[in-house]
Amino acid sequence: MDRLVDRSLSASVFAAELPRGGEGLPGRVGTIVVGGGIVGASIALHLAEAGVDDVLLLERGVLTSGTTWHAAGLVAGARGSRAMTGLSSYGLDFYGELESRSGLDVSLTRSGSLSIARQPGRVDELAYARDVAVRSGIAAHLVDADEVARLWPIASTEGVLAALHFPNDGYLNPGWAALAIAKLAHGAGVTIREGAAVTAIAHDAGRATGVVTDHGTITADRVIIAGGLWSRDLARTAGASLPLYAAEHVHVRSNPIDGAVPTLPVLRDVDHSYYIRPEAGRLLVGAFEPQGIPRGVETISTEGFATFPDDGDHFAPVRTAAERAVPALGPAGYDRFLTAPESFTPDTAFLMGETAEVENLFVAAGLNSQGIIYGPGIGRELARWIVAGSPQFDSAGVDVRRFSRHQSNRRYLHARTVESLGRLYAMHWPGYQSPTARDVRRTPLHARLAELGARFGEVNGGERALWYGGPTPDESYSYRRPGSFDQVAAEHRAAREGVGLFDLSPFTKVEIAGPDALALVQRAVTSDVDVAVGQAVYTLFLNRTGGIELDGTVTRLAADRFLVVTPSFSHHATLGLLRRLARGTAAVVTDVTAAFATIGVMGPLSRELLRRVSPDDWSDAAQPYQSGREVEVADGFAYSLRISFVGELGYELYPSADLAVNVLDALWEAGQELGVRMAGYQALDTLRSEKGYRHLGHDIGPSDDPYAAGLGFTVALDKPGGFVGRDALAALDPRAPKHRTVSVALDDPEMMLVHDEALLRDGVEVGRLTSGAYGHTLGRAVGIAIVDPALVDVATLGTDESPDFAVECRGIAVPATVSRRPFYDPRGERLRG
């Protein structure tokens, strides 16, 4: 293990204060943290510093013996989004003070980092990353090949187009850092026990009540799983699903090399899947190869400091690329070849937060080889989450509930993990679609959509049509105009001018029935849903601090029966939220997502099309806006909701799954004379962006309240019984939100938006884009942004006094128009967001 971890120093620092095994284990504590790596230690420390008393940290082996001990120790200030940059940049500051606070040498070296680009698409990605970093307060510079040669004089710059330099990044000794954090936690009052294996999560009535160890059961108010690659199986003992899986991660260390000085920045040759950093006059080369090697936990030792046999053939392509870029590596040779396990998730973002299935069971795991980078930030934010009762940052991208339950299946995870390891360094294209572990969950219409030319993508493991005809997703990727631009434009126009058909079957559909159904739904949502049978209401679901957990529609089907529809990726979260509220009530929560298809019939000619396949009356009087009813359609029946996410006349049909193809076929055939088109989710996004409809996970989330999101119309503060988050909202002034939500359109029709771009006025950032798409009706990119009310007087937007704005796109300030109202049809109806 060389100098990665030295247990003798660990013992000399505070071993006398760390009884092993069952010695002195308490029978009850307030909080249990399972896992003694850098993440678990950080959580324990930050909980103690936040005033949470009675914290117990349990480690099966010895501290750092899981994954932390073999990490490369890279630290970075910026990541791919504002939210993740907030977590990583905190870590950089935290490590800068760790040695002085703990008294332990963590060998932090702030030599910077350098990510190089060898293809034009990567240059665009780095330019976008530079904007995110700089606007987050992180020093970052795009540099040319000559500057790369100056910063890395022993590297070849052949094929280098550009690079992104972060001068304040660096590396440290990961084992020492974790032990230093554990020492601080111990000093802050955390009880730490090594040699205490947690074998199960104790739980009762849907709540975590403690842990079962090899030395007995310990009860607790809450449990936090930070057990790395073993977290999935531990969570399953309580019925919670964590989609993470282990893979081999390899790094090698060279023999001494002239010029391998500590001041060399960490070199990331992302197009060739490796990184290099100096270590004691040598170079450490680590791989994130495109074809990873998954490892089931049953093949990994539980004794700690697990390794795998060397596989030189698998590492050979990365080694060849690295030796070509740094010629001195070849003749120097290598003195250490280390392959050890790390855990990865299906979307290569970590898992964090309270599990959907089990209350008071939290998780911080699946770090995708970035535990050192994120460990301090995770500790701080999870502590804040626990103290406040809800996330205090934009947590949507890492929330453990974002996955479908099936994604914790081991066969699925094994297939996806082949790709996951390499995704860290692969291109991070907008709209990227994984090619592995596909065709697992399909809608009832999948085969017919394929016949009609669908190009499929997936969200939380479910297949969906992105667009029809033209290029496949992997032929379409770009930070500029994608290859699918023309196909999406045609589908967009069909929904605006004629009629488009959307397979919306992945929408989450939950039925709530029983004597307490009304009371349960009223408690769950912000709007008053004590409405007439057949009435649909757009509404929000909040956490206790007033943040937006979910949005969707609630339709009253009967006096004691309701249909709740939310976005597809919130399926797991929706069920978890409603089932918790249903405990102890006379209401039954039933997942009917797979029982019914959802066919969107959208556009000015949607009513005419429906008249051709249904004998029912489709007039306004027969079915007003935001109402539902059962209709006769094709050769069967379906529930019809008059509602739309595209900003045009539209309906959602809910036939049972066995009738879905028959209904779609009838609509398709009858619509030919009307110019009907199949349309996918990318057109849905462009249409909703023009209308300014909010997208959960981008424009709204747990750190946004309804007033700041511009969704105050959904709030019924005085409805009987109140709702979750009501008291928090009552304390807010709707006239003085923390930010304002506005619509933004670029003046240049050729430029594209992603999200997280800075909104500028006179070169000063006054807000940021939360989402962006191309508005094909408008002929330019359009998005939603939040602005600081102290910097932008929203009341002046669209007037003669309206200031000039710009959006920073890949380093270019592109003139933009900002509006209080959506740019397309501002009279529009408020619909599902």
Side-chain angles (χ1 to χ4, degrees):
M1 290 178 290
D2 197 55
R3 61 188 292 272
L4 294 175
V5 171
D6 185 340
R7 287 300 302 169
S8 65
L9 181 60
S10 167
S12 69
V13 173
F14 56 95
E17 301 173 349
L18 297 181
R20 287 187 56 79
E23 182 183 349
L25 271 179
R28 174 172 177 78
V29 295
T31 302
I32 296 173
V33 180
V34 182
I38 200 158
V39 173
S42 174
I43 294 168
L45 170 62
H46 285 87
L47 281 170
E49 292 183 339
V52 178
D53 297 326
D54 206 13
V55 178
L56 172 64
L57 173 63
L58 298 175
E59 165 56 46
R60 172 170 53 194
V62 295
L63 297 177
T64 80
S65 63
T67 298
T68 300
W69 72 273
H70 66 76
L74 309 186
V75 293
R79 297 284 87 189
S81 70
R82 301 271 188 124
M84 294 301 98
T85 294
L87 293 178
S88 59
S89 61
Y90 171 76
L92 208 53
D93 294 337
F94 178 90
Y95 290 130
E97 301 175 352
L98 184 56
E99 184 170 322
S100 62
R101 291 183 61 194
S102 67
L104 293 183
D105 175 14
V106 300
S107 301
L108 176 63
T109 303
R110 301 285 287 270
S111 59
S113 72
L114 195 64
S115 296
I116 60 177
R118 300 180 182 277
Q119 54 172 307
R122 183 74 73 174
V123 176
D124 286 344
E125 180 184 23
L126 295 185
Y128 173 78
R130 177 261 173 206
D131 291 350
V132 171
V134 171
R135 295 302 171 180
S136 301
I138 307 298
H141 312 284
L142 278 172
V143 299
D144 59 17
D146 290 341
E147 182 65 4
V148 172
R150 187 189 71 80
L151 292 166
W152 251 85
I154 61 173
S156 166
T157 58
E158 181 181 358
V160 174
L161 300 180
L164 184 56
H165 180 217
F166 295 102
N168 295 319
D169 285 357
Y171 53 93
L172 47 64
N173 185 299
W176 288 113
L179 292 172
I181 297 171
K183 180 186 177 186
L184 291 176
H186 184 66
V190 175
T191 301
I192 300 176
R193 289 292 184 274
E194 296 180 321
V198 175
T199 57
I201 303 298
H203 58 100
D204 180 60
R207 293 179 175 87
T209 59
V211 298
V212 180
T213 77
D214 54 356
H215 301 288
T217 298
I218 306 170
T219 60
D221 297 323
R222 71 183 64 86
V223 177
I224 303 167
I225 299 176
L229 56 94
W230 290 279
S231 297
R232 174 196 173 277
D233 288 357
L234 182 58
R236 278 186 64 81
T237 64
S241 55
L242 302 184
L244 57 84
Y245 203 79
E248 296 186 8
H249 179 48
V250 59
H251 57 73
V252 303
R253 189 178 68 177
S254 75
N255 289 307
I257 290 177
D258 289 340
V261 295
T263 54
L264 287 177
V266 175
L267 180 68
R268 292 184 174 91
D269 190 350
V270 284
D271 288 319
H272 285 153
S273 308
Y274 68 84
Y275 60 86
I276 304 177
R277 76 160 175 86
E279 181 178 292
R282 307 160 189 260
L283 294 179
L284 188 75
V285 182
F288 289 101
E289 62 274 23
Q291 295 291 312
I293 301 177
R295 283 281 194 164
V297 294
E298 68 278 2
T299 70
I300 301 171
S301 170
T302 60
E303 299 302 313
F305 304 104
T307 60
F308 302 120
D310 298 348
D311 188 342
D313 290 341
H314 185 75
F315 184 66
V318 167
R319 174 177 175 173
T320 299
E323 291 176 355
R324 187 166 56 244
V326 183
L329 278 170
Y334 304 90
D335 77 338
R336 186 180 70 213
F337 197 115
L338 178 64
T339 306
E342 303 212 19
S343 59
F344 295 83
T345 63
D347 63 359
T348 64
F350 55 85
L351 309 177
M352 183 175 175
E354 191 175 20
T355 63
E357 301 93 340
V358 184
E359 195 171 353
N360 297 329
L361 179 61
F362 291 81
V363 63
L367 269 296
N368 303 278
S369 200
Q370 299 179 87
I372 306 303
I373 291 174
Y374 285 124
I378 288 174
R380 179 183 67 169
E381 292 302 333
L382 192 58
R384 289 177 172 176
W385 192 328
I386 287 169
V387 170
S390 61
Q392 302 302 293
F393 76 110
D394 182 4
S395 61
V398 297
D399 193 317
V400 64
R401 302 170 302 164
R402 70 189 184 274
F403 291 105
S404 165
R405 184 173 174 80
H406 95 274
Q407 290 178 282
S408 64
N409 173 277
R410 281 172 286 192
R411 174 173 160 168
Y412 170 90
L413 287 169
H414 188 280
R416 175 55 61 84
T417 305
V418 171
E419 173 192 4
S420 294
L421 182 138
R423 283 301 309 154
L424 194 65
Y425 278 15
M427 280 293 305
H428 299 91
W429 295 114
Y432 173 78
Q433 299 295 321
S434 293
T436 57
R438 294 294 298 274
D439 292 329
V440 178
R441 292 175 61 220
R442 308 183 191 188
T443 77
L445 299 170
H446 183 92
R448 183 67 82 239
L449 303 187
E451 293 173 2
L452 294 170
R455 301 294 185 251
F456 289 102
E458 59 98 6
V459 169
N460 68 335
E463 298 292 318
R464 55 171 60 192
L466 300 176
W467 64 84
Y468 291 80
T472 61
D474 61 350
E475 296 169 335
S476 182
Y477 299 136
S478 177
Y479 275 84
R480 307 187 184 209
R481 284 196 173 188
S484 60
F485 187 87
D486 291 341
Q487 282 71 29
V488 174
E491 295 167 15
H492 179 112
R493 286 192 294 271
R496 280 279 180 261
E497 302 167 6
V499 59
L501 299 179
F502 298 80
D503 178 18
L504 306 177
S505 301
F507 279 177
T508 301
K509 299 177 279 288
V510 180
E511 186 174 299
I512 302 172
D516 291 341
L518 174 60
L520 188 156
V521 181
Q522 289 281 56
R523 176 70 177 155
V525 305
T526 57
S527 305
D528 188 350
V529 294
D530 189 5
V531 294
V533 172
Q535 184 69 38
V537 178
Y538 171 70
T539 190
L540 304 175
F541 302 70
L542 306 183
N543 54 47
R544 75 181 195 187
T545 59
I548 301 170
E549 292 287 335
L550 302 167
D551 76 333
T553 55
V554 174
T555 304
R556 193 168 199 169
L557 303 178
D560 60 352
R561 193 160 61 96
F562 294 82
L563 175 67
V564 176
V565 180
T566 63
S568 55
F569 77 91
S570 60
H571 179 263
H572 201 39
T574 302
L575 289 173
L577 184 153
L578 292 172
R579 284 171 174 166
R580 284 188 189 184
L581 291 176
R583 290 175 191 152
T585 72
V588 177
V589 175
T590 305
D591 180 12
V592 296
T593 302
F596 296 93
T598 307
I599 302 173
V601 186
M602 305 292 170
L605 298 181
S606 56
R607 178 179 287 130
E608 175 58 30
L609 176 54
L610 287 166
R611 284 172 174 155
R612 298 185 180 204
V613 297
S614 169
D616 288 287
D617 181 358
W618 291 91
S619 66
D620 279 329
Q623 187 169 9
Y625 174 65
Q626 285 192 321
S627 68
R629 58 178 179 154
E630 184 177 85
V631 297
E632 188 175 340
V633 59
D635 296 301
F637 297 87
Y639 196 80
S640 168
L641 270 180
R642 185 179 162 193
I643 203 161
S644 168
F645 194 36
V646 307
E648 303 289 347
L649 175 67
Y651 301 82
E652 292 173 1
L653 299 180
Y654 293 80
S656 59
D658 57 338
L659 289 171
V661 172
N662 176 269
V663 174
L664 180 67
D665 285 349
L667 289 164
W668 179 248
E669 181 178 352
Q672 292 307 303
E673 293 182 0
L674 302 175
V676 67
R677 288 191 75 106
M678 298 300 301
Y681 274 80
Q682 286 205 357
L684 194 69
D685 192 50
T686 64
L687 290 157
R688 72 94 190 168
S689 295
E690 287 187 334
K691 288 287 293 181
Y693 294 151
R694 315 300 192 252
H695 185 271
L696 184 67
H698 283 101
D699 308 309
I700 53 176
S703 59
D704 302 302
D705 65 77
Y707 304 129
L711 300 175
F713 67 89
T714 67
V715 177
L717 282 178
D718 298 327
K719 71 174 179 175
F723 54 88
V724 175
R726 186 261 176 211
D727 292 344
L729 285 194
L732 299 178
D733 182 355
R735 299 163 299 178
K738 62 182 178 181
H739 59 247
R740 295 280 189 181
T741 300
V742 297
S743 290
V744 178
L746 298 182
D747 294 348
D748 183 346
E750 296 302 316
M751 296 297 291
M752 302 292 290
L753 291 170
V754 183
H755 63 82
D756 265 350
E757 293 93 344
L759 181 63
L760 310 175
R761 187 177 67 183
D762 298 327
V764 176
E765 181 174 0
V766 296
R768 67 177 177 88
L769 274 291
T770 54
S771 66
Y774 198 86
H776 294 283
T777 308
L778 304 173
R780 50 183 174 155
V782 63
I784 293 173
I786 57 174
V787 298
D788 184 343
L791 301 177
V792 177
D793 182 359
V794 177
T796 66
L797 297 178
T799 69
D800 292 340
E801 294 82 25
S802 181
D804 292 330
F805 291 95
V807 174
E808 188 174 51
C809 302
R810 302 193 309 276
I812 302 169
V814 181
T817 303
V818 179
S819 173
R820 287 176 296 169
R821 299 181 181 277
F823 292 101
Y824 177 78
D825 189 12
R827 64 176 176 80
E829 304 159 325
R830 295 185 175 105
L831 310 172
R832 179 175 302 125

